[in-house]
PDB file of all heavy atoms in Angstrom:
ATOM      1  N   ASP A1271      -7.960 -27.854   3.878  1.00 92.00           N
ATOM      2  CA  ASP A1271      -8.297 -26.703   4.725  1.00 92.00           C
ATOM      3  C   ASP A1271      -7.611 -25.469   4.185  1.00 92.00           C
ATOM      4  O   ASP A1271      -8.250 -24.408   4.129  1.00 92.00           O
ATOM      5  CB  ASP A1271      -7.911 -27.000   6.181  1.00 92.00           C
ATOM      6  CG  ASP A1271      -8.776 -28.017   6.851  1.00 92.00           C
ATOM      7  OD1 ASP A1271      -9.870 -28.307   6.339  1.00 92.00           O
ATOM      8  OD2 ASP A1271      -8.359 -28.541   7.914  1.00 92.00           O
ATOM      9  N   LYS A1272      -6.345 -25.603   3.851  1.00 93.00           N
ATOM     10  CA  LYS A1272      -5.644 -24.430   3.317  1.00 93.00           C
ATOM     11  C   LYS A1272      -6.253 -23.972   2.009  1.00 93.00           C
ATOM     12  O   LYS A1272      -6.424 -22.760   1.748  1.00 93.00           O
ATOM     13  CB  LYS A1272      -4.165 -24.779   3.110  1.00 93.00           C
ATOM     14  CG  LYS A1272      -3.317 -23.591   2.685  1.00 93.00           C
ATOM     15  CD  LYS A1272      -1.876 -23.965   2.599  1.00 93.00           C
ATOM     16  CE  LYS A1272      -0.980 -22.782   2.295  1.00 93.00           C
ATOM     17  NZ  LYS A1272      -1.104 -22.240   0.990  1.00 93.00           N
ATOM     18  N   ALA A1273      -6.615 -24.963   1.161  1.00 91.00           N
ATOM     19  CA  ALA A1273      -7.198 -24.596  -0.139  1.00 91.00           C
ATOM     20  C   ALA A1273      -8.555 -23.913   0.118  1.00 91.00           C
ATOM     21  O   ALA A1273      -8.940 -22.900  -0.581  1.00 91.00           O
ATOM     22  CB  ALA A1273      -7.417 -25.803  -0.971  1.00 91.00           C
ATOM     23  N   GLN A1274      -9.388 -24.386   1.073  1.00 92.00           N
ATOM     24  CA  GLN A1274     -10.671 -23.726   1.384  1.00 92.00           C
ATOM     25  C   GLN A1274     -10.447 -22.333   1.901  1.00 92.00           C
ATOM     26  O   GLN A1274     -11.143 -21.404   1.510  1.00 92.00           O
ATOM     27  CB  GLN A1274     -11.434 -24.602   2.382  1.00 92.00           C
ATOM     28  CG  GLN A1274     -12.014 -25.841   1.776  1.00 92.00           C
ATOM     29  CD  GLN A1274     -12.733 -26.681   2.844  1.00 92.00           C
ATOM     30  OE1 GLN A1274     -12.538 -26.512   4.031  1.00 92.00           O
ATOM     31  NE2 GLN A1274     -13.526 -27.618   2.355  1.00 92.00           N
ATOM     32  N   LEU A1275      -9.466 -22.167   2.774  1.00 92.00           N
ATOM     33  CA  LEU A1275      -9.146 -20.836   3.301  1.00 92.00           C
ATOM     34  C   LEU A1275      -8.723 -19.885   2.148  1.00 92.00           C
ATOM     35  O   LEU A1275      -9.145 -18.725   2.131  1.00 92.00           O
ATOM     36  CB  LEU A1275      -8.090 -20.908   4.377  1.00 92.00           C
ATOM     37  CG  LEU A1275      -8.510 -21.465   5.738  1.00 92.00           C
ATOM     38  CD1 LEU A1275      -7.338 -21.602   6.631  1.00 92.00           C
ATOM     39  CD2 LEU A1275      -9.576 -20.632   6.354  1.00 92.00           C
ATOM     40  N   ASP A1276      -7.848 -20.430   1.266  1.00 91.00           N
ATOM     41  CA  ASP A1276      -7.421 -19.578   0.134  1.00 91.00           C
ATOM     42  C   ASP A1276      -8.607 -19.211  -0.748  1.00 91.00           C
ATOM     43  O   ASP A1276      -8.702 -18.108  -1.229  1.00 91.00           O
ATOM     44  CB  ASP A1276      -6.344 -20.343  -0.632  1.00 91.00           C
ATOM     45  CG  ASP A1276      -5.040 -20.478   0.066  1.00 91.00           C
ATOM     46  OD1 ASP A1276      -4.826 -19.689   1.076  1.00 91.00           O
ATOM     47  OD2 ASP A1276      -4.163 -21.205  -0.356  1.00 91.00           O
ATOM     48  N   ALA A1277      -9.481 -20.189  -0.982  1.00 91.00           N
ATOM     49  CA  ALA A1277     -10.679 -19.946  -1.822  1.00 91.00           C
ATOM     50  C   ALA A1277     -11.575 -18.847  -1.187  1.00 91.00           C
ATOM     51  O   ALA A1277     -12.050 -17.996  -1.887  1.00 91.00           O
ATOM     52  CB  ALA A1277     -11.454 -21.207  -2.059  1.00 91.00           C
ATOM     53  N   GLU A1278     -11.786 -19.002   0.125  1.00 91.00           N
ATOM     54  CA  GLU A1278     -12.579 -18.040   0.836  1.00 91.00           C
ATOM     55  C   GLU A1278     -11.910 -16.628   0.785  1.00 91.00           C
ATOM     56  O   GLU A1278     -12.609 -15.615   0.642  1.00 91.00           O
ATOM     57  CB  GLU A1278     -12.802 -18.454   2.284  1.00 91.00           C
ATOM     58  CG  GLU A1278     -13.750 -19.651   2.444  1.00 91.00           C
ATOM     59  CD  GLU A1278     -13.874 -20.110   3.849  1.00 91.00           C
ATOM     60  OE1 GLU A1278     -13.426 -19.390   4.751  1.00 91.00           O
ATOM     61  OE2 GLU A1278     -14.449 -21.234   4.059  1.00 91.00           O
ATOM     62  N   ARG A1279     -10.588 -16.624   0.960  1.00 92.00           N
ATOM     63  CA  ARG A1279      -9.865 -15.352   0.888  1.00 92.00           C
ATOM     64  C   ARG A1279      -9.999 -14.745  -0.544  1.00 92.00           C
ATOM     65  O   ARG A1279     -10.273 -13.541  -0.664  1.00 92.00           O
ATOM     66  CB  ARG A1279      -8.359 -15.524   1.231  1.00 92.00           C
ATOM     67  CG  ARG A1279      -7.599 -14.228   1.298  1.00 92.00           C
ATOM     68  CD  ARG A1279      -6.184 -14.444   1.636  1.00 92.00           C
ATOM     69  NE  ARG A1279      -5.527 -15.582   0.961  1.00 92.00           N
ATOM     70  CZ  ARG A1279      -5.012 -15.500  -0.241  1.00 92.00           C
ATOM     71  NH1 ARG A1279      -5.089 -14.396  -0.936  1.00 92.00           N
ATOM     72  NH2 ARG A1279      -4.404 -16.554  -0.809  1.00 92.00           N
ATOM     73  N   VAL A1280      -9.855 -15.526  -1.557  1.00 92.00           N
ATOM     74  CA  VAL A1280      -9.977 -15.045  -2.906  1.00 92.00           C
ATOM     75  C   VAL A1280     -11.386 -14.529  -3.155  1.00 92.00           C
ATOM     76  O   VAL A1280     -11.612 -13.455  -3.771  1.00 92.00           O
ATOM     77  CB  VAL A1280      -9.590 -16.235  -3.949  1.00 92.00           C
ATOM     78  CG1 VAL A1280     -10.042 -15.830  -5.338  1.00 92.00           C
ATOM     79  CG2 VAL A1280      -8.120 -16.443  -3.881  1.00 92.00           C
ATOM     80  N   LYS A1281     -12.417 -15.285  -2.639  1.00 92.00           N
ATOM     81  CA  LYS A1281     -13.810 -14.842  -2.812  1.00 92.00           C
ATOM     82  C   LYS A1281     -14.019 -13.557  -2.074  1.00 92.00           C
ATOM     83  O   LYS A1281     -14.650 -12.635  -2.594  1.00 92.00           O
ATOM     84  CB  LYS A1281     -14.754 -15.877  -2.299  1.00 92.00           C
ATOM     85  CG  LYS A1281     -14.953 -17.034  -3.235  1.00 92.00           C
ATOM     86  CD  LYS A1281     -15.762 -18.232  -2.668  1.00 92.00           C
ATOM     87  CE  LYS A1281     -17.035 -17.849  -2.051  1.00 92.00           C
ATOM     88  NZ  LYS A1281     -17.815 -18.999  -1.561  1.00 92.00           N
ATOM     89  N   SER A1282     -13.476 -13.407  -0.844  1.00 91.00           N
ATOM     90  CA  SER A1282     -13.595 -12.227  -0.121  1.00 91.00           C
ATOM     91  C   SER A1282     -12.953 -11.025  -0.778  1.00 91.00           C
ATOM     92  O   SER A1282     -13.485  -9.929  -0.859  1.00 91.00           O
ATOM     93  CB  SER A1282     -13.017 -12.400   1.282  1.00 91.00           C
ATOM     94  OG  SER A1282     -13.012 -11.227   2.037  1.00 91.00           O
ATOM     95  N   ASP A1283     -11.707 -11.310  -1.269  1.00 90.00           N
ATOM     96  CA  ASP A1283     -10.991 -10.245  -1.991  1.00 90.00           C
ATOM     97  C   ASP A1283     -11.747  -9.843  -3.243  1.00 90.00           C
ATOM     98  O   ASP A1283     -11.821  -8.602  -3.597  1.00 90.00           O
ATOM     99  CB  ASP A1283      -9.581 -10.701  -2.396  1.00 90.00           C
ATOM    100  CG  ASP A1283      -8.623 -10.820  -1.196  1.00 90.00           C
ATOM    101  OD1 ASP A1283      -9.070 -10.347  -0.102  1.00 90.00           O
ATOM    102  OD2 ASP A1283      -7.559 -11.400  -1.343  1.00 90.00           O
ATOM    103  N   ALA A1284     -12.306 -10.774  -3.960  1.00 90.00           N
ATOM    104  CA  ALA A1284     -13.072 -10.513  -5.199  1.00 90.00           C
ATOM    105  C   ALA A1284     -14.309  -9.687  -4.831  1.00 90.00           C
ATOM    106  O   ALA A1284     -14.706  -8.724  -5.591  1.00 90.00           O
ATOM    107  CB  ALA A1284     -13.458 -11.804  -5.899  1.00 90.00           C
ATOM    108  N   LYS A1285     -14.995 -10.028  -3.736  1.00 91.00           N
ATOM    109  CA  LYS A1285     -16.207  -9.315  -3.302  1.00 91.00           C
ATOM    110  C   LYS A1285     -15.823  -7.837  -2.957  1.00 91.00           C
ATOM    111  O   LYS A1285     -16.533  -6.961  -3.357  1.00 91.00           O
ATOM    112  CB  LYS A1285     -16.838 -10.060  -2.136  1.00 91.00           C
ATOM    113  CG  LYS A1285     -18.152  -9.486  -1.734  1.00 91.00           C
ATOM    114  CD  LYS A1285     -18.791 -10.308  -0.625  1.00 91.00           C
ATOM    115  CE  LYS A1285     -20.096  -9.705  -0.236  1.00 91.00           C
ATOM    116  NZ  LYS A1285     -20.746 -10.425   0.885  1.00 91.00           N
ATOM    117  N   LYS A1286     -14.743  -7.724  -2.174  1.00 92.00           N
ATOM    118  CA  LYS A1286     -14.282  -6.388  -1.801  1.00 92.00           C
ATOM    119  C   LYS A1286     -13.920  -5.578  -3.039  1.00 92.00           C
ATOM    120  O   LYS A1286     -14.256  -4.423  -3.140  1.00 92.00           O
ATOM    121  CB  LYS A1286     -13.093  -6.502  -0.860  1.00 92.00           C
ATOM    122  CG  LYS A1286     -13.451  -6.887   0.576  1.00 92.00           C
ATOM    123  CD  LYS A1286     -12.218  -7.010   1.440  1.00 92.00           C
ATOM    124  CE  LYS A1286     -12.564  -7.524   2.805  1.00 92.00           C
ATOM    125  NZ  LYS A1286     -11.360  -7.733   3.613  1.00 92.00           N
ATOM    126  N   SER A1287     -13.211  -6.194  -3.962  1.00 92.00           N
ATOM    127  CA  SER A1287     -12.787  -5.556  -5.146  1.00 92.00           C
ATOM    128  C   SER A1287     -14.034  -5.117  -5.964  1.00 92.00           C
ATOM    129  O   SER A1287     -14.080  -4.024  -6.526  1.00 92.00           O
ATOM    130  CB  SER A1287     -11.905  -6.460  -5.999  1.00 92.00           C
ATOM    131  OG  SER A1287     -11.515  -5.895  -7.213  1.00 92.00           O
ATOM    132  N   ALA A1288     -15.027  -6.013  -6.063  1.00 90.00           N
ATOM    133  CA  ALA A1288     -16.243  -5.691  -6.796  1.00 90.00           C
ATOM    134  C   ALA A1288     -17.000  -4.574  -6.122  1.00 90.00           C
ATOM    135  O   ALA A1288     -17.513  -3.641  -6.790  1.00 90.00           O
ATOM    136  CB  ALA A1288     -17.177  -6.929  -6.885  1.00 90.00           C
ATOM    137  N   GLU A1289     -17.057  -4.582  -4.799  1.00 91.00           N
ATOM    138  CA  GLU A1289     -17.700  -3.494  -4.045  1.00 91.00           C
ATOM    139  C   GLU A1289     -16.948  -2.160  -4.281  1.00 91.00           C
ATOM    140  O   GLU A1289     -17.600  -1.137  -4.458  1.00 91.00           O
ATOM    141  CB  GLU A1289     -17.785  -3.845  -2.594  1.00 91.00           C
ATOM    142  CG  GLU A1289     -18.750  -4.909  -2.220  1.00 91.00           C
ATOM    143  CD  GLU A1289     -18.704  -5.304  -0.727  1.00 91.00           C
ATOM    144  OE1 GLU A1289     -17.865  -4.745   0.049  1.00 91.00           O
ATOM    145  OE2 GLU A1289     -19.477  -6.146  -0.347  1.00 91.00           O
ATOM    146  N   LEU A1290     -15.646  -2.246  -4.283  1.00 91.00           N
ATOM    147  CA  LEU A1290     -14.839  -1.026  -4.472  1.00 91.00           C
ATOM    148  C   LEU A1290     -15.074  -0.496  -5.853  1.00 91.00           C
ATOM    149  O   LEU A1290     -15.249   0.744  -6.057  1.00 91.00           O
ATOM    150  CB  LEU A1290     -13.340  -1.348  -4.257  1.00 91.00           C
ATOM    151  CG  LEU A1290     -12.422  -0.168  -4.279  1.00 91.00           C
ATOM    152  CD1 LEU A1290     -12.697   0.734  -3.080  1.00 91.00           C
ATOM    153  CD2 LEU A1290     -10.914  -0.633  -4.167  1.00 91.00           C
ATOM    154  N   GLU A1291     -15.097  -1.408  -6.847  1.00 91.00           N
ATOM    155  CA  GLU A1291     -15.288  -0.970  -8.225  1.00 91.00           C
ATOM    156  C   GLU A1291     -16.697  -0.364  -8.380  1.00 91.00           C
ATOM    157  O   GLU A1291     -16.894   0.599  -9.109  1.00 91.00           O
ATOM    158  CB  GLU A1291     -15.122  -2.157  -9.195  1.00 91.00           C
ATOM    159  CG  GLU A1291     -13.689  -2.608  -9.372  1.00 91.00           C
ATOM    160  CD  GLU A1291     -12.814  -1.503 -10.012  1.00 91.00           C
ATOM    161  OE1 GLU A1291     -13.310  -0.815 -10.982  1.00 91.00           O
ATOM    162  OE2 GLU A1291     -11.684  -1.367  -9.569  1.00 91.00           O
ATOM    163  N   THR A1292     -17.693  -0.968  -7.722  1.00 91.00           N
ATOM    164  CA  THR A1292     -19.024  -0.483  -7.765  1.00 91.00           C
ATOM    165  C   THR A1292     -19.073   0.907  -7.177  1.00 91.00           C
ATOM    166  O   THR A1292     -19.747   1.842  -7.705  1.00 91.00           O
ATOM    167  CB  THR A1292     -19.981  -1.435  -7.002  1.00 91.00           C
ATOM    168  OG1 THR A1292     -19.924  -2.719  -7.544  1.00 91.00           O
ATOM    169  CG2 THR A1292     -21.418  -0.976  -7.053  1.00 91.00           C
ATOM    170  N   GLU A1293     -18.413   1.044  -6.018  1.00 89.00           N
ATOM    171  CA  GLU A1293     -18.400   2.374  -5.373  1.00 89.00           C
ATOM    172  C   GLU A1293     -17.731   3.411  -6.292  1.00 89.00           C
ATOM    173  O   GLU A1293     -18.208   4.543  -6.400  1.00 89.00           O
ATOM    174  CB  GLU A1293     -17.697   2.292  -4.021  1.00 89.00           C
ATOM    175  CG  GLU A1293     -17.696   3.545  -3.202  1.00 89.00           C
ATOM    176  CD  GLU A1293     -19.074   4.007  -2.821  1.00 89.00           C
ATOM    177  OE1 GLU A1293     -19.967   3.199  -2.726  1.00 89.00           O
ATOM    178  OE2 GLU A1293     -19.282   5.239  -2.582  1.00 89.00           O
ATOM    179  N   LYS A1294     -16.649   3.017  -6.948  1.00 89.00           N
ATOM    180  CA  LYS A1294     -15.933   3.971  -7.847  1.00 89.00           C
ATOM    181  C   LYS A1294     -16.842   4.353  -9.034  1.00 89.00           C
ATOM    182  O   LYS A1294     -16.887   5.482  -9.363  1.00 89.00           O
ATOM    183  CB  LYS A1294     -14.629   3.321  -8.393  1.00 89.00           C
ATOM    184  CG  LYS A1294     -13.505   3.311  -7.424  1.00 89.00           C
ATOM    185  CD  LYS A1294     -12.252   2.720  -8.098  1.00 89.00           C
ATOM    186  CE  LYS A1294     -11.080   2.610  -7.183  1.00 89.00           C
ATOM    187  NZ  LYS A1294      -9.920   1.947  -7.862  1.00 89.00           N
ATOM    188  N   ALA A1295     -17.523   3.332  -9.561  1.00 89.00           N
ATOM    189  CA  ALA A1295     -18.415   3.619 -10.698  1.00 89.00           C
ATOM    190  C   ALA A1295     -19.573   4.506 -10.226  1.00 89.00           C
ATOM    191  O   ALA A1295     -19.962   5.447 -10.929  1.00 89.00           O
ATOM    192  CB  ALA A1295     -18.994   2.271 -11.210  1.00 89.00           C
ATOM    193  N   ARG A1296     -20.116   4.237  -9.014  1.00 87.00           N
ATOM    194  CA  ARG A1296     -21.237   5.059  -8.503  1.00 87.00           C
ATOM    195  C   ARG A1296     -20.729   6.513  -8.281  1.00 87.00           C
ATOM    196  O   ARG A1296     -21.406   7.472  -8.696  1.00 87.00           O
ATOM    197  CB  ARG A1296     -21.731   4.511  -7.128  1.00 87.00           C
ATOM    198  CG  ARG A1296     -22.980   5.165  -6.663  1.00 87.00           C
ATOM    199  CD  ARG A1296     -23.523   4.563  -5.379  1.00 87.00           C
ATOM    200  NE  ARG A1296     -22.619   4.706  -4.282  1.00 87.00           N
ATOM    201  CZ  ARG A1296     -22.472   5.911  -3.577  1.00 87.00           C
ATOM    202  NH1 ARG A1296     -23.212   6.933  -3.904  1.00 87.00           N
ATOM    203  NH2 ARG A1296     -21.674   6.006  -2.581  1.00 87.00           N
ATOM    204  N   LEU A1297     -19.544   6.697  -7.766  1.00 86.00           N
ATOM    205  CA  LEU A1297     -18.985   8.033  -7.597  1.00 86.00           C
ATOM    206  C   LEU A1297     -18.744   8.700  -8.915  1.00 86.00           C
ATOM    207  O   LEU A1297     -19.001   9.908  -9.114  1.00 86.00           O
ATOM    208  CB  LEU A1297     -17.700   8.031  -6.763  1.00 86.00           C
ATOM    209  CG  LEU A1297     -17.856   7.745  -5.257  1.00 86.00           C
ATOM    210  CD1 LEU A1297     -16.517   7.604  -4.620  1.00 86.00           C
ATOM    211  CD2 LEU A1297     -18.692   8.745  -4.615  1.00 86.00           C
ATOM    212  N   ALA A1298     -18.243   7.964  -9.897  1.00 86.00           N
ATOM    213  CA  ALA A1298     -17.973   8.505 -11.224  1.00 86.00           C
ATOM    214  C   ALA A1298     -19.325   8.940 -11.879  1.00 86.00           C
ATOM    215  O   ALA A1298     -19.364  10.028 -12.500  1.00 86.00           O
ATOM    216  CB  ALA A1298     -17.315   7.546 -12.101  1.00 86.00           C
ATOM    217  N   VAL A1299     -20.356   8.123 -11.727  1.00 85.00           N
ATOM    218  CA  VAL A1299     -21.684   8.453 -12.325  1.00 85.00           C
ATOM    219  C   VAL A1299     -22.201   9.752 -11.594  1.00 85.00           C
ATOM    220  O   VAL A1299     -22.728  10.581 -12.258  1.00 85.00           O
ATOM    221  CB  VAL A1299     -22.611   7.293 -12.165  1.00 85.00           C
ATOM    222  CG1 VAL A1299     -24.075   7.630 -12.408  1.00 85.00           C
ATOM    223  CG2 VAL A1299     -22.185   6.135 -13.063  1.00 85.00           C
ATOM    224  N   ASN A1300     -22.063   9.746 -10.259  1.00 81.00           N
ATOM    225  CA  ASN A1300     -22.546  10.943  -9.513  1.00 81.00           C
ATOM    226  C   ASN A1300     -21.818  12.207  -9.940  1.00 81.00           C
ATOM    227  O   ASN A1300     -22.475  13.254 -10.141  1.00 81.00           O
ATOM    228  CB  ASN A1300     -22.324  10.726  -7.992  1.00 81.00           C
ATOM    229  CG  ASN A1300     -23.386   9.809  -7.387  1.00 81.00           C
ATOM    230  OD1 ASN A1300     -24.403   9.512  -8.006  1.00 81.00           O
ATOM    231  ND2 ASN A1300     -23.116   9.327  -6.204  1.00 81.00           N
ATOM    232  N   GLU A1301     -20.511  12.060 -10.136  1.00 83.00           N
ATOM    233  CA  GLU A1301     -19.771  13.260 -10.621  1.00 83.00           C
ATOM    234  C   GLU A1301     -20.216  13.653 -11.989  1.00 83.00           C
ATOM    235  O   GLU A1301     -20.433  14.859 -12.315  1.00 83.00           O
ATOM    236  CB  GLU A1301     -18.291  12.929 -10.638  1.00 83.00           C
ATOM    237  CG  GLU A1301     -17.654  12.975  -9.249  1.00 83.00           C
ATOM    238  CD  GLU A1301     -16.156  12.695  -9.325  1.00 83.00           C
ATOM    239  OE1 GLU A1301     -15.516  12.933 -10.412  1.00 83.00           O
ATOM    240  OE2 GLU A1301     -15.610  12.260  -8.308  1.00 83.00           O
ATOM    241  N   GLU A1302     -20.441  12.644 -12.893  1.00 84.00           N
ATOM    242  CA  GLU A1302     -20.884  13.020 -14.205  1.00 84.00           C
ATOM    243  C   GLU A1302     -22.297  13.611 -14.239  1.00 84.00           C
ATOM    244  O   GLU A1302     -22.588  14.582 -14.959  1.00 84.00           O
ATOM    245  CB  GLU A1302     -20.863  11.749 -15.066  1.00 84.00           C
ATOM    246  CG  GLU A1302     -20.983  12.085 -16.558  1.00 84.00           C
ATOM    247  CD  GLU A1302     -20.730  10.807 -17.432  1.00 84.00           C
ATOM    248  OE1 GLU A1302     -19.786  10.069 -17.144  1.00 84.00           O
ATOM    249  OE2 GLU A1302     -21.524  10.678 -18.372  1.00 84.00           O
ATOM    250  N   ILE A1303     -23.167  13.012 -13.399  1.00 81.00           N
ATOM    251  CA  ILE A1303     -24.510  13.537 -13.304  1.00 81.00           C
ATOM    252  C   ILE A1303     -24.496  14.987 -12.722  1.00 81.00           C
ATOM    253  O   ILE A1303     -25.187  15.904 -13.225  1.00 81.00           O
ATOM    254  CB  ILE A1303     -25.413  12.641 -12.418  1.00 81.00           C
ATOM    255  CG1 ILE A1303     -25.670  11.390 -13.147  1.00 81.00           C
ATOM    256  CG2 ILE A1303     -26.695  13.335 -12.053  1.00 81.00           C
ATOM    257  CD1 ILE A1303     -26.396  10.306 -12.329  1.00 81.00           C
ATOM    258  N   ALA A1304     -23.588  15.182 -11.772  1.00 77.00           N
ATOM    259  CA  ALA A1304     -23.486  16.540 -11.188  1.00 77.00           C
ATOM    260  C   ALA A1304     -22.941  17.550 -12.177  1.00 77.00           C
ATOM    261  O   ALA A1304     -23.426  18.672 -12.255  1.00 77.00           O
ATOM    262  CB  ALA A1304     -22.561  16.482  -9.941  1.00 77.00           C
ATOM    263  N   GLN A1305     -21.989  17.078 -12.995  1.00 81.00           N
ATOM    264  CA  GLN A1305     -21.440  17.925 -14.013  1.00 81.00           C
ATOM    265  C   GLN A1305     -22.542  18.318 -15.069  1.00 81.00           C
ATOM    266  O   GLN A1305     -22.654  19.455 -15.412  1.00 81.00           O
ATOM    267  CB  GLN A1305     -20.274  17.183 -14.742  1.00 81.00           C
ATOM    268  CG  GLN A1305     -19.619  18.021 -15.784  1.00 81.00           C
ATOM    269  CD  GLN A1305     -18.829  19.162 -15.156  1.00 81.00           C
ATOM    270  OE1 GLN A1305     -18.382  19.137 -14.018  1.00 81.00           O
ATOM    271  NE2 GLN A1305     -18.646  20.215 -15.910  1.00 81.00           N
ATOM    272  N   ILE A1306     -23.306  17.240 -15.456  1.00 80.00           N
ATOM    273  CA  ILE A1306     -24.425  17.512 -16.354  1.00 80.00           C
ATOM    274  C   ILE A1306     -25.417  18.479 -15.803  1.00 80.00           C
ATOM    275  O   ILE A1306     -25.958  19.402 -16.377  1.00 80.00           O
ATOM    276  CB  ILE A1306     -25.061  16.193 -16.830  1.00 80.00           C
ATOM    277  CG1 ILE A1306     -24.063  15.383 -17.672  1.00 80.00           C
ATOM    278  CG2 ILE A1306     -26.305  16.422 -17.637  1.00 80.00           C
ATOM    279  CD1 ILE A1306     -24.521  13.976 -17.997  1.00 80.00           C
ATOM    280  N   ALA A1307     -25.728  18.198 -14.498  1.00 76.00           N
ATOM    281  CA  ALA A1307     -26.692  19.079 -13.805  1.00 76.00           C
ATOM    282  C   ALA A1307     -26.204  20.514 -13.703  1.00 76.00           C
ATOM    283  O   ALA A1307     -26.977  21.464 -13.879  1.00 76.00           O
ATOM    284  CB  ALA A1307     -27.014  18.541 -12.428  1.00 76.00           C
ATOM    285  N   MET A1308     -24.905  20.673 -13.486  1.00 74.00           N
ATOM    286  CA  MET A1308     -24.354  21.979 -13.393  1.00 74.00           C
ATOM    287  C   MET A1308     -24.388  22.675 -14.790  1.00 74.00           C
ATOM    288  O   MET A1308     -24.732  23.833 -14.853  1.00 74.00           O
ATOM    289  CB  MET A1308     -22.937  21.975 -12.863  1.00 74.00           C
ATOM    290  CG  MET A1308     -22.952  21.688 -11.397  1.00 74.00           C
ATOM    291  SD  MET A1308     -21.296  21.551 -10.689  1.00 74.00           S
ATOM    292  CE  MET A1308     -20.505  23.049 -11.144  1.00 74.00           C
ATOM    293  N   GLU A1309     -24.083  21.967 -15.735  1.00 76.00           N
ATOM    294  CA  GLU A1309     -24.164  22.501 -17.090  1.00 76.00           C
ATOM    295  C   GLU A1309     -25.596  22.922 -17.456  1.00 76.00           C
ATOM    296  O   GLU A1309     -25.816  23.997 -18.037  1.00 76.00           O
ATOM    297  CB  GLU A1309     -23.610  21.544 -18.157  1.00 76.00           C
ATOM    298  CG  GLU A1309     -22.101  21.355 -18.065  1.00 76.00           C
ATOM    299  CD  GLU A1309     -21.608  20.277 -18.981  1.00 76.00           C
ATOM    300  OE1 GLU A1309     -22.357  19.709 -19.777  1.00 76.00           O
ATOM    301  OE2 GLU A1309     -20.390  19.968 -18.913  1.00 76.00           O
ATOM    302  N   THR A1310     -26.538  22.034 -17.081  1.00 75.00           N
ATOM    303  CA  THR A1310     -27.908  22.294 -17.392  1.00 75.00           C
ATOM    304  C   THR A1310     -28.363  23.505 -16.571  1.00 75.00           C
ATOM    305  O   THR A1310     -29.068  24.416 -17.065  1.00 75.00           O
ATOM    306  CB  THR A1310     -28.810  21.089 -17.050  1.00 75.00           C
ATOM    307  OG1 THR A1310     -28.289  19.943 -17.743  1.00 75.00           O
ATOM    308  CG2 THR A1310     -30.238  21.325 -17.345  1.00 75.00           C
ATOM    309  N   ALA A1311     -28.003  23.528 -15.283  1.00 69.00           N
ATOM    310  CA  ALA A1311     -28.369  24.677 -14.479  1.00 69.00           C
ATOM    311  C   ALA A1311     -27.726  25.948 -14.956  1.00 69.00           C
ATOM    312  O   ALA A1311     -28.393  27.029 -14.937  1.00 69.00           O
ATOM    313  CB  ALA A1311     -27.893  24.405 -13.030  1.00 69.00           C
TER     314      ALA A1311
END
């Protein structure tokens, strides 16, 4: 039971970490696109 809880916690942490990284990447892409759009404008 403890091992299953630990595995679920690790999976949850990994999922949160992946979501956080995805959000960071999305924000970075948005900033870069905005920068390019501003330069183009």
Side-chain angles (χ1 to χ4, degrees):
D1271 290 343
K1272 186 177 185 289
Q1274 287 176 344
L1275 289 174
D1276 289 345
E1278 289 175 14
R1279 184 180 44 81
V1280 167
K1281 282 172 51 178
S1282 174
D1283 289 349
K1285 186 176 180 182
K1286 286 179 185 176
S1287 177
E1289 288 174 358
L1290 188 65
E1291 289 296 321
T1292 303
E1293 185 63 26
K1294 282 182 183 178
R1296 191 177 64 77
L1297 288 176
V1299 167
N1300 284 343
E1301 284 182 24
E1302 194 171 317
I1303 290 173
Q1305 184 69 25
I1306 293 171
M1308 285 178 55
E1309 289 174 5
T1310 305

